[in-house]
């Protein structure tokens, strides 16, 4: 699972429905099933992470898999071992699934290709690579949206025709890119808004043109907030990724907050019942006002984190079932 660019609507729906089952498991008194007993999952995070790594680890444990956590700072990487040799080391230990995050785009693909060439049967899950993709985040966002639209029967079809605004540092966001694939495949209307330095002119068109059916994807971009928020059903704010900003792309955080920060007042032009998402971590008070972030009648941030475990259980299950050495 490297990118959502090649996910069909049916595949997105399969993930949602599998996550529904695991959400039920997580609500039990003993939230654990033996589905991946004997399967070895390694989490290899070459870039820092709080929620994604913990979420994959918990998901693997709740499926009864064995989990090996790799942290570059304390590993042989600091002794000069290459990333591919690290992956081969885990393969030799019997790893079946590798969950990989890296600051450079393409690293999970390179490892997946190497694992295929070795005929290893290892499944690689991209947990965020550079600016390229963060599929599990977009899938948990999709699941969260579908659950809000119908808590008893969440489905990708509910997204058809919904207006979703994505606001902020789109240029540096793998979360935005993955969401663009999944939401537009579901037939949602995606509206992007950011200062031009964080959303270059022509971005939406260029993005849609990477697809084999660009005309069917509804992606619109704006250089101000109001048209994106107008009649929006959902608003997703993105973190300003200051660690990835090579030059000064913003005059100041304060100016960004004044023009693009989400506040209660600014949401008035959205549809009644609008809900707010953010992948986290949040620059509190910059992308979203502090009170809005903590208002659980509007903010879905905690739901996203909670639903992330069910979605990652679904992904590990769909990729890992039948992978134990004995089968
Ligand atoms: C995102 C990421 O790492 O891409 N965070 C996450 O996984 N929840 C977004 C970000 O870092 O801003």
């Amino acid at each position: 699972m490297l990118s959502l660019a090649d996910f069909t609507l049916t595949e997105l729906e399969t993930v949602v429905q599998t996550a529904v089952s695991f959400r039920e498991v997580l609500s039990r008194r003993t939230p654990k099933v033996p589905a991946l007993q004997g399967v070895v999952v390694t989490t290899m995070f070459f870039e820092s992470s709080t929620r994604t790594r913990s979420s994959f680890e918990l998901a693997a444990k709740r499926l009864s898999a064995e989990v090996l956590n790799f942290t570059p700072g304390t590993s042989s990487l600091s002794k000069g071992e290459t990333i591919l040799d690290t992956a081969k080391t885990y393969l030799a230990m019997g790893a079946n699934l590798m969950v990989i995050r890296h600051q450079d785009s393409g690293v999970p693909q390179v490892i997946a290709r190497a694992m295929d060439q070795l005929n290893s049967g290892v499944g690689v899950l991209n947990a965020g690579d550079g600016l390229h993709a963060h599929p599990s985040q977009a899938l948990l966002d999709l699941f969260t949206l579908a659950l809000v639209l119908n808590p008893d029967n969440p489905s990708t079809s509910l997204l058809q025709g919904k207006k979703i605004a994505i606001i902020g540092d789109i240029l540096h966001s793998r979360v935005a890119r993955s969401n663009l694939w999944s939401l537009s495949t579901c037939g949602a209307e995606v509206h992007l808004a950011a200062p031009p330095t964080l959303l270059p002119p022509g971005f939406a068109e260029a993005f849609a043109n990477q697809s084999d059916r660009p005309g069917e994807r509804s992606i619109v971009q704006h250089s101000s907030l109001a048209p994106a928020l107008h009649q929006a059903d959902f608003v997703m704010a993105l973190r300003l990724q200051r660690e990835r900003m090579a030059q000064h792309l913003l005059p100041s955080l304060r100016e960004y907050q004044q023009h693009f920060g989400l506040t209660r007042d600014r949401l008035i032009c959205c549809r009644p019942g609008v809900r707010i998402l953010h992948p986290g971590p949040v620059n509190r008070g910059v992308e979203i006002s502090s009170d809005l972030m903590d208002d659980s009648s509007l903010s879905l941030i905690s739901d996203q984190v909670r639903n992330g475990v069910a979605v990652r259980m679904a992904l590990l299950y769909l990729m890992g079932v039948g992978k134990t050495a004995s089968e």
Side-chain angles (χ1 to χ4, degrees):
M1 193 202 54
L2 300 172
S3 152
L4 297 185
D6 54 1
F7 263 58
T8 62
L9 188 58
T10 311
E11 287 168 331
L12 294 173
E13 184 64 22
T14 301
V15 174
V16 169
Q17 295 314 323
T18 313
V20 169
S21 315
F22 288 123
R23 187 167 176 262
E24 187 277 314
V25 168
L26 292 173
S27 70
R28 294 181 195 164
R29 243 163 63 104
T30 311
K32 196 165 175 165
V33 285
L36 290 193
Q37 225 157 34
V39 169
V40 178
V41 177
T42 60
T43 69
M44 301 160 69
F45 278 60
F46 299 92
E47 185 197 279
S48 48
S49 161
T50 309
R51 59 215 89 211
T52 307
R53 202 200 57 73
S54 308
S55 179
F56 266 115
E57 179 176 353
L58 187 59
K61 287 180 171 165
R62 299 215 143 158
L63 291 166
S64 306
E66 316 285 340
V67 187
L68 298 172
N69 287 314
F70 161 87
T71 338
T74 56
S75 74
S76 289
L77 208 66
S78 57
K79 299 181 186 169
E81 186 172 74
T82 68
I83 294 173
L84 267 181
D85 285 335
T86 304
K88 284 183 196 161
T89 303
Y90 281 109
L91 174 64
M93 272 185 238
N96 304 107
L97 294 175
M98 295 182 181
V99 181
I100 299 170
R101 168 171 289 197
H102 200 280
Q103 59 276 15
D104 295 334
S105 303
V107 169
Q109 283 82 342
V110 170
I111 296 179
R113 203 176 310 130
M115 289 298 131
D116 275 353
Q117 279 164 359
L118 292 169
N119 247 331
S120 67
V122 166
V124 173
L125 294 95
N126 181 357
D129 64 324
L131 312 184
H132 172 238
H134 193 348
S136 67
Q137 177 68 42
L139 291 168
L140 76 87
D141 292 337
L142 180 63
F143 185 50
T144 303
L145 296 172
L147 271 172
V148 170
L149 292 167
N150 188 345
D152 298 324
N153 193 10
S155 154
T156 53
S157 60
L158 299 162
L159 270 297
Q160 179 79 38
K162 291 284 179 278
K163 177 169 175 178
I164 298 163
I166 304 183
I167 313 296
D169 190 355
I170 289 150
L171 180 67
H172 297 103
S173 180
R174 54 198 178 202
V175 174
R177 286 176 179 79
S178 285
N179 265 291
L180 278 168
W181 288 120
S182 50
L183 296 174
S184 62
T185 298
C186 292
E189 270 182 38
V190 190
H191 288 248
L192 308 172
T197 46
L198 299 179
L199 176 58
F203 177 93
E205 202 188 351
F207 190 91
N209 281 336
Q210 294 172 39
S211 152
D212 46 9
R213 41 188 193 90
E216 292 169 36
R217 298 190 186 268
S218 177
I219 307 173
V220 185
Q221 75 181 75
H222 309 275
S223 54
S224 63
L225 190 58
L229 294 189
H230 181 71
Q231 295 291 305
D233 297 281
F234 295 99
V235 183
M236 182 184 295
L238 299 171
R239 185 175 67 90
L240 289 173
Q241 302 199 18
R242 282 177 288 169
E243 75 279 14
R244 293 193 214 273
M245 291 188 191
Q247 312 102 6
H248 297 288
L249 297 177
L250 289 171
S252 69
L253 288 185
R254 195 176 145 77
E255 185 163 330
Y256 176 84
Q257 192 270 329
Q258 278 170 358
H259 292 280
F260 289 94
L262 297 181
T263 59
R264 241 169 246 283
D265 288 353
R266 292 202 165 126
L267 296 181
I268 289 169
C269 66
C270 299
R271 270 194 196 282
V274 65
R275 308 296 297 271
I276 312 298
L277 298 97
H278 192 304
V282 181
N283 292 303
R284 191 175 262 275
V286 179
E287 296 109 22
I288 308 184
S289 67
S290 200
D291 68 308
L292 205 55
M293 193 177 153
D294 295 331
D295 181 346
S296 60
S297 68
L298 283 164
S299 163
L300 292 170
I301 297 174
S302 300
D303 300 57
Q304 288 172 278
V305 175
R306 197 172 313 114
N307 294 334
V309 181
V311 167
R312 292 184 171 115
M313 284 174 81
L315 296 173
L316 292 170
Y317 172 76
L318 290 167
M319 288 190 60
V321 72
K323 279 209 191 292
T324 50
S326 57
E327 285 172 64

